[in-house]
Amino acid sequence: MTDTGTPRTQAIAEIQEAASAAATPEVIVLPTLGDAARRACQDTVRILAAAVTERGAAHLALTGGSGGMALSEALAPLIAAQPEAVRHAIHLWFGDERFVPAGDPERNDLLATPLIAAGIRESQTHRLAAPNEVSGLDEATARMAHELKSAGVTPGGFDVVHVGLGPDAHVCSLFPGHPAALAVGAPAVAVRNSPKPPPERYSLTFEALQHAGRVMVVAGGEGKAEAVRLGLGTPDVLKAPASCCRGEQTTWYLDEQANALMAD
């Protein structure tokens, strides 16, 4: 017997239908991951500067992993070259974070360091509370959800979300088959028993990702080729969460190796 009509089935349908209704992702292929990251960052700065001109603020969510490192390195000098009025109007967020002590090498928010040095304000860098600052992961996640709402990011949306791609086609900390990937009705979710250590994490939900003005997926290396194929296929949140990571506009920035299975 199927579980048609259960909350789980409804969540799967909601996430996949929203992804299917979104614009088809654009794919940009460049020789190396560094090249792909630089192109993504050029587009990022253009979008953020336009948002500041239009609304007086811009919201960017960063990612971790190899893609996040390449993006942070490429983005810092581009941010530094912007007028102070733009630099000081950018808010930094994180697509996911590990619930470990502040300063721990596992923290994704360490990637904000060169961006803060480039002129983004620490006061506008929205870090997940560390374990010693809250009663537990639930409180840290609730605080972040409240912060997102207070900053006007929900129900509006991020201007840009940077997304790394796992070899299993996970994005943020939304893993294939994990119940946290099916969270609906909130912009953020507490992730427990993550298949990748550390086990406790915070993640944006698909609800937040799918409301973003621009989602940028950045990936490189032959180990990501199958994940790219799945992620650019029919939305399937259980098998390939990346396939449901689609905002109002979505662009995949890939190196040639990651795009190998998509080449004609």
Side-chain angles (χ1 to χ4, degrees):
M1 180 179 295
T2 63
D3 59 348
T4 303
T6 66
R8 180 176 185 273
T9 302
Q10 291 171 359
I12 292 169
E14 180 179 326
I15 293 167
Q16 292 180 175
E17 286 170 8
S20 296
T24 301
E26 176 188 11
V27 179
I28 296 174
V29 182
L30 292 163
T32 70
L33 176 59
D35 294 331
R38 281 187 289 274
R39 173 62 184 275
C41 290
Q42 290 166 358
D43 292 344
T44 295
V45 169
R46 174 178 53 79
I47 294 167
L48 296 179
V52 171
T53 298
E54 180 181 347
R55 301 193 318 273
H59 296 274
L60 166 65
L62 302 177
T63 186
S66 58
M69 288 186 283
L71 286 161
S72 179
E73 180 180 341
L75 187 58
L78 299 178
I79 293 292
Q82 294 298 303
E84 182 179 275
V86 172
R87 299 196 306 269
H88 287 182
I90 295 171
H91 289 252
L92 292 181
W93 306 82
F94 302 90
D96 70 329
E97 185 57 277
R98 291 82 181 270
F99 190 54
V100 294
D104 189 294
E106 293 278 6
R107 297 267 309 196
N108 285 333
D109 64 10
L110 296 180
L111 294 177
T113 301
L115 304 180
I116 294 168
I120 293 177
R121 289 172 165 166
E122 172 63 41
S123 62
Q124 292 176 185
T125 301
H126 302 270
R127 303 176 189 270
L128 185 72
N132 67 313
E133 299 172 324
V134 289
S135 62
L137 178 60
D138 286 339
E139 183 183 346
T141 301
R143 282 192 186 187
M144 187 58 68
H146 177 75
E147 206 165 329
L148 286 162
K149 184 176 180 180
S150 297
V153 183
T154 58
F158 291 96
D159 295 292
V160 179
V161 177
H162 286 170
V163 179
L165 179 68
D168 60 353
H170 83 265
V171 290
C172 299
S173 283
L174 305 174
F175 295 92
H178 195 287
L182 303 182
V184 294
V189 62
V191 180
R192 291 182 170 82
N193 300 315
S194 164
K196 285 184 63 178
E200 289 195 324
R201 298 161 173 245
Y202 148 92
S203 181
L204 293 177
T205 63
F206 281 112
E207 183 167 314
L209 296 170
Q210 291 172 342
H211 281 92
R214 177 71 67 88
V215 169
M216 299 182 177
V217 182
V218 179
E222 60 184 359
K224 303 294 179 70
E226 176 63 10
V228 168
R229 185 186 70 80
L230 292 171
L232 289 171
T234 302
D236 185 336
V237 69
L238 297 180
K239 185 176 181 181
S243 65
C244 294
C245 187
R246 299 179 183 179
E248 292 181 15
Q249 292 181 272
T250 305
T251 307
W252 287 55
Y253 300 83
L254 307 173
D255 72 5
E256 292 172 350
Q257 290 183 320
N259 191 58
L261 297 181
M262 305 300 294
D264 293 333

PDB file of all heavy atoms in Angstrom, residues 157-181:
ATOM      1  N   GLY A 157      13.125  36.325  -0.442  1.00  0.00           N
ATOM      2  CA  GLY A 157      14.087  35.416  -1.041  1.00  0.00           C
ATOM      3  C   GLY A 157      15.475  36.014  -1.080  1.00  0.00           C
ATOM      4  O   GLY A 157      15.652  37.234  -1.080  1.00  0.00           O
ATOM      5  N   PHE A 158      16.489  35.161  -1.096  1.00  0.00           N
ATOM      6  CA  PHE A 158      17.859  35.603  -1.277  1.00  0.00           C
ATOM      7  C   PHE A 158      18.023  36.179  -2.681  1.00  0.00           C
ATOM      8  O   PHE A 158      17.383  35.730  -3.626  1.00  0.00           O
ATOM      9  CB  PHE A 158      18.820  34.422  -1.112  1.00  0.00           C
ATOM     10  CG  PHE A 158      18.907  33.891   0.282  1.00  0.00           C
ATOM     11  CD1 PHE A 158      18.140  32.803   0.673  1.00  0.00           C
ATOM     12  CD2 PHE A 158      19.762  34.465   1.204  1.00  0.00           C
ATOM     13  CE1 PHE A 158      18.220  32.306   1.959  1.00  0.00           C
ATOM     14  CE2 PHE A 158      19.855  33.973   2.495  1.00  0.00           C
ATOM     15  CZ  PHE A 158      19.080  32.895   2.871  1.00  0.00           C
ATOM     16  N   ASP A 159      18.937  37.125  -2.800  1.00  0.00           N
ATOM     17  CA  ASP A 159      19.275  37.603  -4.140  1.00  0.00           C
ATOM     18  C   ASP A 159      20.093  36.545  -4.872  1.00  0.00           C
ATOM     19  O   ASP A 159      19.869  36.287  -6.056  1.00  0.00           O
ATOM     20  CB  ASP A 159      20.055  38.922  -4.041  1.00  0.00           C
ATOM     21  CG  ASP A 159      19.193  40.025  -3.459  1.00  0.00           C
ATOM     22  OD1 ASP A 159      18.239  40.446  -4.140  1.00  0.00           O
ATOM     23  OD2 ASP A 159      19.447  40.437  -2.306  1.00  0.00           O
ATOM     24  N   VAL A 160      21.051  35.954  -4.159  1.00  0.00           N
ATOM     25  CA  VAL A 160      21.890  34.897  -4.733  1.00  0.00           C
ATOM     26  C   VAL A 160      22.130  33.833  -3.672  1.00  0.00           C
ATOM     27  O   VAL A 160      22.400  34.155  -2.514  1.00  0.00           O
ATOM     28  CB  VAL A 160      23.255  35.443  -5.213  1.00  0.00           C
ATOM     29  CG1 VAL A 160      24.110  34.306  -5.782  1.00  0.00           C
ATOM     30  CG2 VAL A 160      23.078  36.543  -6.248  1.00  0.00           C
ATOM     31  N   VAL A 161      22.046  32.582  -4.078  1.00  0.00           N
ATOM     32  CA  VAL A 161      22.454  31.465  -3.226  1.00  0.00           C
ATOM     33  C   VAL A 161      23.539  30.687  -3.957  1.00  0.00           C
ATOM     34  O   VAL A 161      23.318  30.204  -5.077  1.00  0.00           O
ATOM     35  CB  VAL A 161      21.283  30.520  -2.898  1.00  0.00           C
ATOM     36  CG1 VAL A 161      21.785  29.339  -2.067  1.00  0.00           C
ATOM     37  CG2 VAL A 161      20.184  31.249  -2.155  1.00  0.00           C
ATOM     38  N   HIS A 162      24.713  30.598  -3.366  1.00  0.00           N
ATOM     39  CA  HIS A 162      25.771  29.744  -3.889  1.00  0.00           C
ATOM     40  C   HIS A 162      25.546  28.325  -3.372  1.00  0.00           C
ATOM     41  O   HIS A 162      25.303  28.136  -2.173  1.00  0.00           O
ATOM     42  CB  HIS A 162      27.144  30.235  -3.428  1.00  0.00           C
ATOM     43  CG  HIS A 162      27.604  31.468  -4.129  1.00  0.00           C
ATOM     44  ND1 HIS A 162      28.708  32.191  -3.721  1.00  0.00           N
ATOM     45  CD2 HIS A 162      27.114  32.130  -5.212  1.00  0.00           C
ATOM     46  CE1 HIS A 162      28.877  33.228  -4.526  1.00  0.00           C
ATOM     47  NE2 HIS A 162      27.920  33.214  -5.431  1.00  0.00           N
ATOM     48  N   VAL A 163      25.644  27.364  -4.237  1.00  0.00           N
ATOM     49  CA  VAL A 163      25.364  25.975  -3.877  1.00  0.00           C
ATOM     50  C   VAL A 163      26.499  25.082  -4.360  1.00  0.00           C
ATOM     51  O   VAL A 163      26.861  25.103  -5.541  1.00  0.00           O
ATOM     52  CB  VAL A 163      24.031  25.504  -4.499  1.00  0.00           C
ATOM     53  CG1 VAL A 163      23.761  24.037  -4.145  1.00  0.00           C
ATOM     54  CG2 VAL A 163      22.882  26.381  -4.040  1.00  0.00           C
ATOM     55  N   GLY A 164      27.067  24.314  -3.443  1.00  0.00           N
ATOM     56  CA  GLY A 164      28.004  23.279  -3.827  1.00  0.00           C
ATOM     57  C   GLY A 164      27.234  22.001  -4.139  1.00  0.00           C
ATOM     58  O   GLY A 164      26.043  21.883  -3.840  1.00  0.00           O
ATOM     59  N   LEU A 165      27.900  21.046  -4.731  1.00  0.00           N
ATOM     60  CA  LEU A 165      27.250  19.805  -5.158  1.00  0.00           C
ATOM     61  C   LEU A 165      28.034  18.614  -4.630  1.00  0.00           C
ATOM     62  O   LEU A 165      29.221  18.457  -4.919  1.00  0.00           O
ATOM     63  CB  LEU A 165      27.190  19.765  -6.685  1.00  0.00           C
ATOM     64  CG  LEU A 165      26.570  18.529  -7.322  1.00  0.00           C
ATOM     65  CD1 LEU A 165      25.064  18.470  -7.038  1.00  0.00           C
ATOM     66  CD2 LEU A 165      26.815  18.526  -8.830  1.00  0.00           C
ATOM     67  N   GLY A 166      27.363  17.778  -3.843  1.00  0.00           N
ATOM     68  CA  GLY A 166      28.010  16.558  -3.376  1.00  0.00           C
ATOM     69  C   GLY A 166      28.000  15.480  -4.445  1.00  0.00           C
ATOM     70  O   GLY A 166      27.152  15.481  -5.339  1.00  0.00           O
ATOM     71  N   PRO A 167      28.924  14.534  -4.380  1.00  0.00           N
ATOM     72  CA  PRO A 167      28.945  13.443  -5.366  1.00  0.00           C
ATOM     73  C   PRO A 167      27.699  12.570  -5.323  1.00  0.00           C
ATOM     74  O   PRO A 167      27.400  11.862  -6.282  1.00  0.00           O
ATOM     75  CB  PRO A 167      30.207  12.645  -4.990  1.00  0.00           C
ATOM     76  CG  PRO A 167      30.544  13.066  -3.608  1.00  0.00           C
ATOM     77  CD  PRO A 167      30.044  14.447  -3.429  1.00  0.00           C
ATOM     78  N   ASP A 168      26.933  12.648  -4.212  1.00  0.00           N
ATOM     79  CA  ASP A 168      25.660  11.932  -4.115  1.00  0.00           C
ATOM     80  C   ASP A 168      24.487  12.830  -4.518  1.00  0.00           C
ATOM     81  O   ASP A 168      23.324  12.475  -4.308  1.00  0.00           O
ATOM     82  CB  ASP A 168      25.449  11.426  -2.681  1.00  0.00           C
ATOM     83  CG  ASP A 168      25.431  12.566  -1.653  1.00  0.00           C
ATOM     84  OD1 ASP A 168      25.712  13.729  -2.033  1.00  0.00           O
ATOM     85  OD2 ASP A 168      25.138  12.295  -0.475  1.00  0.00           O
ATOM     86  N   ALA A 169      24.793  13.990  -5.094  1.00  0.00           N
ATOM     87  CA  ALA A 169      23.794  14.974  -5.545  1.00  0.00           C
ATOM     88  C   ALA A 169      23.082  15.655  -4.385  1.00  0.00           C
ATOM     89  O   ALA A 169      21.970  16.138  -4.543  1.00  0.00           O
ATOM     90  CB  ALA A 169      22.791  14.364  -6.526  1.00  0.00           C
ATOM     91  N   HIS A 170      23.736  15.728  -3.210  1.00  0.00           N
ATOM     92  CA  HIS A 170      23.143  16.528  -2.133  1.00  0.00           C
ATOM     93  C   HIS A 170      23.527  17.989  -2.323  1.00  0.00           C
ATOM     94  O   HIS A 170      24.536  18.315  -2.974  1.00  0.00           O
ATOM     95  CB  HIS A 170      23.559  16.011  -0.756  1.00  0.00           C
ATOM     96  CG  HIS A 170      24.891  16.495  -0.259  1.00  0.00           C
ATOM     97  ND1 HIS A 170      26.059  15.767  -0.415  1.00  0.00           N
ATOM     98  CD2 HIS A 170      25.245  17.628   0.397  1.00  0.00           C
ATOM     99  CE1 HIS A 170      27.066  16.424   0.126  1.00  0.00           C
ATOM    100  NE2 HIS A 170      26.598  17.568   0.628  1.00  0.00           N
ATOM    101  N   VAL A 171      22.705  18.870  -1.774  1.00  0.00           N
ATOM    102  CA  VAL A 171      22.984  20.303  -1.747  1.00  0.00           C
ATOM    103  C   VAL A 171      22.737  20.791  -0.328  1.00  0.00           C
ATOM    104  O   VAL A 171      21.910  20.242   0.400  1.00  0.00           O
ATOM    105  CB  VAL A 171      22.109  21.093  -2.738  1.00  0.00           C
ATOM    106  CG1 VAL A 171      22.516  20.800  -4.178  1.00  0.00           C
ATOM    107  CG2 VAL A 171      20.632  20.801  -2.537  1.00  0.00           C
ATOM    108  N   CYS A 172      23.456  21.865   0.067  1.00  0.00           N
ATOM    109  CA  CYS A 172      23.404  22.317   1.456  1.00  0.00           C
ATOM    110  C   CYS A 172      23.622  21.086   2.347  1.00  0.00           C
ATOM    111  O   CYS A 172      24.559  20.338   2.113  1.00  0.00           O
ATOM    112  CB  CYS A 172      22.090  23.045   1.733  1.00  0.00           C
ATOM    113  SG  CYS A 172      21.866  24.528   0.705  1.00  0.00           S
ATOM    114  N   SER A 173      22.752  20.858   3.333  1.00  0.00           N
ATOM    115  CA  SER A 173      22.814  19.596   4.088  1.00  0.00           C
ATOM    116  C   SER A 173      21.516  18.823   3.883  1.00  0.00           C
ATOM    117  O   SER A 173      20.963  18.232   4.816  1.00  0.00           O
ATOM    118  CB  SER A 173      23.089  19.853   5.571  1.00  0.00           C
ATOM    119  OG  SER A 173      24.451  20.160   5.787  1.00  0.00           O
ATOM    120  N   LEU A 174      21.056  18.832   2.640  1.00  0.00           N
ATOM    121  CA  LEU A 174      19.846  18.105   2.242  1.00  0.00           C
ATOM    122  C   LEU A 174      20.304  16.887   1.440  1.00  0.00           C
ATOM    123  O   LEU A 174      20.643  16.983   0.268  1.00  0.00           O
ATOM    124  CB  LEU A 174      18.940  19.025   1.410  1.00  0.00           C
ATOM    125  CG  LEU A 174      18.568  20.363   2.082  1.00  0.00           C
ATOM    126  CD1 LEU A 174      17.788  21.245   1.120  1.00  0.00           C
ATOM    127  CD2 LEU A 174      17.793  20.125   3.383  1.00  0.00           C
ATOM    128  N   PHE A 175      20.318  15.746   2.119  1.00  0.00           N
ATOM    129  CA  PHE A 175      20.904  14.532   1.556  1.00  0.00           C
ATOM    130  C   PHE A 175      19.827  13.605   0.982  1.00  0.00           C
ATOM    131  O   PHE A 175      18.686  13.603   1.448  1.00  0.00           O
ATOM    132  CB  PHE A 175      21.688  13.784   2.635  1.00  0.00           C
ATOM    133  CG  PHE A 175      22.889  14.526   3.140  1.00  0.00           C
ATOM    134  CD1 PHE A 175      22.791  15.359   4.242  1.00  0.00           C
ATOM    135  CD2 PHE A 175      24.115  14.398   2.509  1.00  0.00           C
ATOM    136  CE1 PHE A 175      23.897  16.056   4.714  1.00  0.00           C
ATOM    137  CE2 PHE A 175      25.232  15.094   2.975  1.00  0.00           C
ATOM    138  CZ  PHE A 175      25.124  15.923   4.078  1.00  0.00           C
ATOM    139  N   PRO A 176      20.197  12.786  -0.018  1.00  0.00           N
ATOM    140  CA  PRO A 176      19.231  11.841  -0.591  1.00  0.00           C
ATOM    141  C   PRO A 176      18.629  10.933   0.479  1.00  0.00           C
ATOM    142  O   PRO A 176      19.350  10.313   1.263  1.00  0.00           O
ATOM    143  CB  PRO A 176      20.081  11.026  -1.580  1.00  0.00           C
ATOM    144  CG  PRO A 176      21.208  11.923  -1.941  1.00  0.00           C
ATOM    145  CD  PRO A 176      21.508  12.703  -0.690  1.00  0.00           C
ATOM    146  N   GLY A 177      17.308  10.888   0.523  1.00  0.00           N
ATOM    147  CA  GLY A 177      16.609  10.007   1.450  1.00  0.00           C
ATOM    148  C   GLY A 177      16.565  10.462   2.886  1.00  0.00           C
ATOM    149  O   GLY A 177      15.949   9.798   3.720  1.00  0.00           O
ATOM    150  N   HIS A 178      17.189  11.585   3.204  1.00  0.00           N
ATOM    151  CA  HIS A 178      17.202  12.054   4.594  1.00  0.00           C
ATOM    152  C   HIS A 178      15.930  12.836   4.876  1.00  0.00           C
ATOM    153  O   HIS A 178      15.510  13.667   4.055  1.00  0.00           O
ATOM    154  CB  HIS A 178      18.424  12.923   4.836  1.00  0.00           C
ATOM    155  CG  HIS A 178      18.716  13.164   6.283  1.00  0.00           C
ATOM    156  ND1 HIS A 178      17.952  14.000   7.074  1.00  0.00           N
ATOM    157  CD2 HIS A 178      19.681  12.662   7.102  1.00  0.00           C
ATOM    158  CE1 HIS A 178      18.437  14.022   8.293  1.00  0.00           C
ATOM    159  NE2 HIS A 178      19.486  13.213   8.350  1.00  0.00           N
ATOM    160  N   PRO A 179      15.296  12.637   6.028  1.00  0.00           N
ATOM    161  CA  PRO A 179      14.033  13.336   6.308  1.00  0.00           C
ATOM    162  C   PRO A 179      14.153  14.851   6.306  1.00  0.00           C
ATOM    163  O   PRO A 179      13.186  15.548   5.981  1.00  0.00           O
ATOM    164  CB  PRO A 179      13.624  12.803   7.689  1.00  0.00           C
ATOM    165  CG  PRO A 179      14.843  12.161   8.264  1.00  0.00           C
ATOM    166  CD  PRO A 179      15.635  11.674   7.108  1.00  0.00           C
ATOM    167  N   ALA A 180      15.311  15.387   6.654  1.00  0.00           N
ATOM    168  CA  ALA A 180      15.470  16.847   6.670  1.00  0.00           C
ATOM    169  C   ALA A 180      15.298  17.455   5.284  1.00  0.00           C
ATOM    170  O   ALA A 180      14.891  18.614   5.156  1.00  0.00           O
ATOM    171  CB  ALA A 180      16.834  17.231   7.240  1.00  0.00           C
ATOM    172  N   ALA A 181      15.589  16.684   4.250  1.00  0.00           N
ATOM    173  CA  ALA A 181      15.425  17.194   2.882  1.00  0.00           C
ATOM    174  C   ALA A 181      13.968  17.444   2.533  1.00  0.00           C
ATOM    175  O   ALA A 181      13.676  18.161   1.571  1.00  0.00           O
ATOM    176  CB  ALA A 181      16.046  16.227   1.880  1.00  0.00           C
TER     177      ALA A 181
END
